[in-house]
Amino acid sequence: MNDVAIADQHEHPAQPEPGADRRAPVLDHRELGRDMRIFESSPLVGPGLPLWLPAGAAVRYELEQYAREVALRTGCEPVYSPVLGKRSLFERSGHWAKFADDMFPPMAMGDSDVDPLVLRPANCPHHAQIYASEPRSYRDLPVRYSELAPMFRAERSGVLSGLSRVRQINLDDAHVFCRPDQVADEVHVALAAVLEVLDTLGIEVSYLRLSGRDDSGKWLGAPEQWAAAEEALRVVLARLAGGLEWRAEAGEAAFYGPKIDVQVLDARGHEETLATVQLDFNQPERFDLTYVAASGERERVVMIHRGTVGAMERMVAFLLERHAGRLPFWLAPVQVCLLPLGGSGVDGGAGDGGAVDQVDELAADLRARGLRVRVERDGSLGNRIRLARQRRDALLGVLGPREIEAGVLAVTDPASGEKSSVLLSELGDRLAEAARKRVARVGL
């Protein structure tokens, strides 16, 4: 079918793009990233350090805003912490012993050579120090901190790949400090938030995995502590999972505590863990994180690692491939591409600048409502449509003399082929509401 027909309401209905067919070959996120101008790399900046271009920044901004919103709604307090810390911080947390080979070398700073600074491989030791900054009563718990924070991994050049394997990871990270009797409720809140976010992102959960300990001796903490924690996680899974399958797998826990892993299938059908709610007995012990119980005695807190979106780089790579570049409407870098007809002589409207003038007014109105709009003016309509399709713009809107006379915009969703004439007086409200509600597709 001719590309012009896709945007013209009077032609035959357009067919969905091949990329929208989930049976089609999977497009690599690096290829999609080039087409959509999501990210770029520079030899002067270095491998594994992607540069987020405006289109990619728009996607990341929306994900970060959503993560912040969910964190606040689930009781988290925002904090900020430095990307650096003394080596002794990570020695005490256990990261240095376990991950030193994956960390960047310490930075000699003259008088601090004995205890040099290190780029952090994780954010939790900093949050532990924030918790430890003042005394806590059992009445103060739970305490929940959230931060969209970078952390660093000294990945070897041979394993770096686009956004999926990088050296700086920007993580939607949260940590909960609670009493043992609060664990089940806190895990329930965390897991419910994860499932909500994945549903909004159009990601189907394959199953939930309770990752526990086995009979080996590699686990930190007493067996009875582990048994109580795993039972709390079982209660949460039985309460929350509903129709979701969940499995208990011994030996899959982290050495410092059991966890619930959210398992999904990527665009190629490969299983991976996309989110985790993790109990931690290690850092409360190592950093002596306590609270004053009702008895007046100091007792150890339980630390819970949680998040929703996770690593921005990995999630964007996953979403690009999962949706073949056709991101949900609220995430799309360009939500509306406006295509004026007339005024240039290219499309048979020489001398008629009405559409060109009105499209600028329409674009300004949509942008004022917070929508991401692009006006594509130059070249034939067919070529402009091809460029918009290559960028995976969410909606295409043609405005010519016929549309101006009728007071409408001819709108097409290239992913589904759905098309409609939408009243200009209703367009802004409809699209802004769709973005606010974070819908996947705008019904036309």
Side-chain angles (χ1 to χ4, degrees):
M1 179 177 289
N2 190 303
D3 278 329
V4 175
I6 298 170
D8 190 335
Q9 60 177 335
H10 305 294
E11 297 290 341
H12 299 293
Q15 299 302 311
E17 292 184 339
D21 184 351
R22 294 190 60 186
R23 296 170 296 178
V26 175
L27 294 174
D28 190 283
H29 82 274
R30 293 167 294 184
E31 178 183 343
L32 291 164
R34 285 190 295 270
D35 287 348
M36 299 171 67
R37 302 294 294 149
I38 298 293
F39 68 98
E40 191 56 86
S41 60
S42 164
L44 288 176
V45 175
L49 299 169
L51 302 169
W52 291 84
L53 305 178
V59 178
R60 177 172 160 181
Y61 176 85
E62 291 289 352
L63 290 173
E64 289 179 344
Q65 288 297 98
Y66 188 26
R68 288 189 179 97
E69 176 187 306
V70 173
L72 288 171
R73 181 157 34 90
T74 54
C76 291
E77 298 178 285
V79 297
Y80 293 101
S81 58
V83 300
L84 295 167
K86 288 184 175 181
R87 183 173 63 191
S88 57
L89 173 69
F90 301 108
E91 288 173 342
R92 188 163 176 180
S93 71
H95 288 91
W96 186 259
K98 195 165 183 66
F99 300 114
D101 289 343
D102 297 319
M103 295 170 63
F104 284 98
M107 298 176 225
M109 301 292 290
D111 57 357
S112 64
D113 287 356
V114 175
D115 194 0
L117 295 173
V118 183
L119 282 169
R120 63 181 174 193
N123 308 320
C124 37
H126 291 76
H127 289 192
Q129 297 311 295
I130 295 175
Y131 176 85
S133 65
E134 60 181 283
R136 311 285 180 172
S137 162
Y138 71 97
R139 296 187 184 90
D140 299 326
L141 302 183
V143 171
R144 311 176 187 94
Y145 298 135
S146 65
E147 184 177 11
L148 280 159
M151 60 187 201
F152 302 85
R153 302 288 171 86
E155 301 279 15
R156 304 300 180 260
S157 296
V159 301
L160 297 171
S161 178
L163 293 176
S164 61
R165 199 77 177 263
V166 293
R167 286 174 170 161
Q168 177 178 317
I169 302 163
N170 294 281
L171 190 67
D172 159 37
D173 212 5
H175 297 95
V176 179
F177 303 87
C178 65
R179 305 188 306 263
D181 63 288
Q182 295 172 320
V183 166
D185 285 343
E186 289 303 309
V187 171
H188 182 278
V189 169
L191 191 55
V194 169
L195 296 178
E196 174 204 316
V197 168
L198 295 184
D199 181 63
T200 301
L201 293 173
I203 300 173
E204 182 178 353
V205 175
S206 181
Y207 68 96
L208 305 176
R209 182 176 70 193
L210 171 54
S211 299
R213 63 177 283 165
D214 56 21
D215 294 330
S216 66
K218 64 182 181 180
W219 315 105
L220 178 73
E224 54 269 22
Q225 185 181 31
W226 277 79
E230 289 186 32
E231 180 58 28
L233 297 184
R234 288 176 184 274
V235 168
V236 172
L237 287 168
R239 187 197 320 173
L240 184 68
L244 280 175
E245 176 189 359
W246 68 273
R247 309 171 191 171
E249 296 191 20
E252 292 297 322
F255 75 94
Y256 48 83
K259 57 180 177 170
I260 295 175
D261 294 318
V262 181
Q263 303 299 108
V264 303
L265 298 180
D266 66 14
R268 295 170 177 78
H270 302 149
E271 181 181 318
E272 63 175 286
T273 301
L274 204 57
T276 294
V277 180
Q278 169 76 61
L279 303 191
D280 188 345
F281 308 137
N282 175 52
Q283 292 195 55
E285 187 73 30
R286 286 175 176 264
F287 289 118
D288 192 25
L289 304 179
T290 63
Y291 62 95
V292 178
S295 65
E297 299 294 318
R298 291 176 64 211
E299 296 188 8
R300 190 78 64 212
V301 299
V302 177
M303 187 176 184
I304 301 174
H305 304 253
R306 50 166 278 197
T308 50
V309 174
M312 297 299 148
E313 292 79 7
R314 183 185 179 206
M315 179 57 81
V316 171
F318 185 96
L319 289 171
L320 286 175
E321 294 186 0
R322 168 66 181 79
H323 295 293
R326 286 284 174 198
L327 297 174
F329 175 77
W330 66 279
L331 274 180
V334 177
Q335 292 167 313
V336 188
C337 180
L338 296 176
L339 305 161
L341 297 179
S344 66
V346 175
D347 297 303
D352 183 357
V356 176
D357 294 338
Q358 189 156 338
V359 84
D360 288 334
E361 295 176 13
L362 177 59
D365 177 66
L366 295 177
R367 289 182 183 124
R369 297 170 186 267
L371 295 161
R372 293 182 291 278
V373 182
R374 182 184 180 99
V375 179
E376 197 72 68
R377 308 175 188 279
D378 297 329
S380 69
L381 180 60
N383 188 57
R384 286 182 282 159
I385 289 172
R386 282 190 289 274
L387 290 173
R389 289 168 66 95
Q390 184 177 21
R391 289 191 306 264
R392 274 69 173 182
D393 297 349
L395 296 175
L396 308 184
V398 171
L399 188 68
R402 180 167 48 182
E403 287 74 27
I404 292 175
E405 182 178 356
V408 300
L409 184 72
V411 181
T412 297
D413 181 344
S416 66
E418 187 179 2
K419 59 202 315 184
S420 179
S421 294
V422 180
L423 289 172
L424 292 173
S425 59
E426 298 178 358
L427 180 70
D429 287 341
R430 284 182 60 181
L431 297 186
E433 181 73 359
R436 186 185 66 80
K437 290 184 175 180
R438 296 190 172 97
V439 303
R441 297 281 174 253
V442 179
L444 299 179

